[in-house]
Amino acid sequence: YPGVWARLDSGAAKTILYYSHYDVRPVGPEPWDWPPFGAELTEMPPYKQVIVGRGARGLKGPLQAWLNALQALTAVEGRLPVNVLFLIEGAEILGSRNYLQLAERYREQLREADALFSPGASQSAQGEVSVVLGYKGLLYLELEASGEAWNRGPSAPVHSATNAVVDSPAWRLIHALATLTDREGERLTVDGLGPLFDQRKEISSEEGELLERLHRRFEGRDPNAVIPGLTAGAPVKTFKRGLRGRDVLTEYLYAPSVNISGLRSGYIGPGSKSFLLPHQAVATLDIRLITDLDAQEVLRRLRAHLDREGFGDIRLHAYGAYNWGQTDPRADVVRATLQTLEAHGYPAVVWPMVAFGGPWAHLPRALGIPALRGAGPGYGDRMATSNEFYVIEGDGTVADLADTENFYVDLLSNYAAL
């Protein structure tokens, strides 16, 4: 199923649109000590009890905590202090390819929303809770070269010895990719898009203060332990252009990027196979930008560039095209979250922007409402690898499951009161 729509109407003055997803990353080759979909409860020092399973930290634990809080509020109070809209997708890991269609289907109902909220396990092992106010735009796409579309090369895999007389779709794709960026892969060389990589978002005085606080908080610390998406367990030793210190953090927040996340052609399984000249080659790319140029227009210019460069046969499959978005720190949903975190004793770390992106940034901008994703206590680790877990009973620093649920109960009441 592409998505799930639901509505809880309490007759309240305010309405929250809840974003989440129910697909998880596939189980990789790393060995698991527990069944990846077994939802095993176990001790994992220093935590007295955790739940282990694929998606436990990234999705299922935080989602269940939110639903438990709603159920508890309804059972005790008889109604929720806010109305809640649910539009939950089933293809977030694949680039949210269905979400805009889902949003269009429920456009009239979505206009009732005053804020988008997507709580998650945003607590660090030190107890800090990340509150993210902005996300870059995201283009998630595939470029595909094939002998069939090219009308050259094989229409099915053939022996590699025939390459002396048969063209290679894999080389075709490589040459097409090489036209997109400079030699370092730093800057788009597509007509009309290159300047986007020279621009920087204008930073307001409020945003500048948040950025300065981030710099001071993380000054002197290893960027691998600070930058979302990196890990101190597998550190990057040298950053682009020799970036160091606060420059790493600033560029992460505001610089655009063109990433090749996958290249597939020929036999990619274990062991060896007879020499092949593959008939097809596919590259998966994600492009992250902060620009007022619409994401669909960026895709159109990429298509026009490939055609102009003589690669009209290269197929472009766009799975996600989302604009960037940023929430005013003075918005009610932000103020209520920060007040509730303080009341519960959780230190907040406010990020004016991060490099991730998706419908949770695009849709609020389209609706003209603030958005907050994450911004809740709860801790887990090992997302996208083996033994992913979510803490049920904490260590006194990170929240227990019950603590997280109580936080959401208070947050909804505080938001309704503003």
Side-chain angles (χ1 to χ4, degrees), residues 258-303:
V258 183
N259 177 59
I260 298 176
S261 57
L263 281 170
R264 304 181 298 283
S265 186
Y267 179 70
I268 58 173
S272 60
K273 199 171 183 178
S274 60
F275 299 102
L276 292 177
L277 195 171
H279 68 296
Q280 181 187 49
V282 178
T284 307
L285 287 79
D286 57 276
I287 302 173
R288 300 174 188 272
L289 301 165
I290 304 175
T291 173
D292 289 331
L293 192 65
D294 187 77
Q296 294 295 332
E297 176 61 23
V298 176
L299 284 175
R300 285 191 287 270
R301 295 190 187 190
L302 283 171
R303 177 71 268 170

Side-chain angles (χ1 to χ4, degrees), residues 4-6 8 15-22 58-67 70 83-89 99 110 113 115-120 360 363 369 372-374 408 412:
V4 172
W5 163 261
L8 290 171
T15 300
I16 283 179
L17 168 60
Y18 177 84
Y19 169 86
S20 187
H21 61 99
Y22 50 84
L59 166 66
K60 298 176 184 178
L63 173 58
Q64 191 62 56
W66 170 255
L67 295 176
L70 297 184
N83 310 312
V84 183
L85 309 177
F86 296 85
L87 190 54
I88 304 179
E89 63 169 318
Y99 201 81
L110 292 175
L116 181 146
F117 189 51
S118 178
W360 55 88
L363 189 57
I369 60 176
L372 210 53
R373 191 173 190 214
Y408 291 141
L412 289 176

Side-chain angles (χ1 to χ4, degrees), residues 224 235-244 248:
N224 291 284
V236 174
K237 296 180 180 178
T238 304
F239 290 92
K240 281 186 174 182
R241 303 183 300 280
L243 292 169
R244 302 171 64 89
V248 178

Side-chain angles (χ1 to χ4, degrees), residues 96-150:
S96 301
R97 60 184 67 178
N98 306 310
Y99 201 81
L100 289 185
Q101 293 174 323
L102 295 170
E104 179 62 24
R105 180 172 181 176
Y106 295 101
R107 178 174 55 181
E108 293 306 314
Q109 294 95 323
L110 292 175
R111 286 176 175 166
E112 301 171 14
D114 298 294
L116 181 146
F117 189 51
S118 178
S122 298
Q123 203 168 22
S124 70
Q126 293 73 42
E128 300 168 329
V129 175
S130 292
V131 178
V132 177
L133 302 182
Y135 294 89
K136 294 180 183 178
L138 170 66
L139 303 177
Y140 183 67
L141 54 102
E142 284 184 348
L143 298 184
E144 177 189 351
S146 69
E148 179 185 8
W150 190 16

Side-chain angles (χ1 to χ4, degrees), residues 19-44:
Y19 169 86
S20 187
H21 61 99
Y22 50 84
D23 62 320
V24 299
R25 290 173 175 83
V27 177
E30 305 90 352
W32 284 70
D33 296 317
W34 296 268
F37 296 104
E40 300 268 353
L41 290 169
T42 185
E43 183 179 2
M44 191 176 287

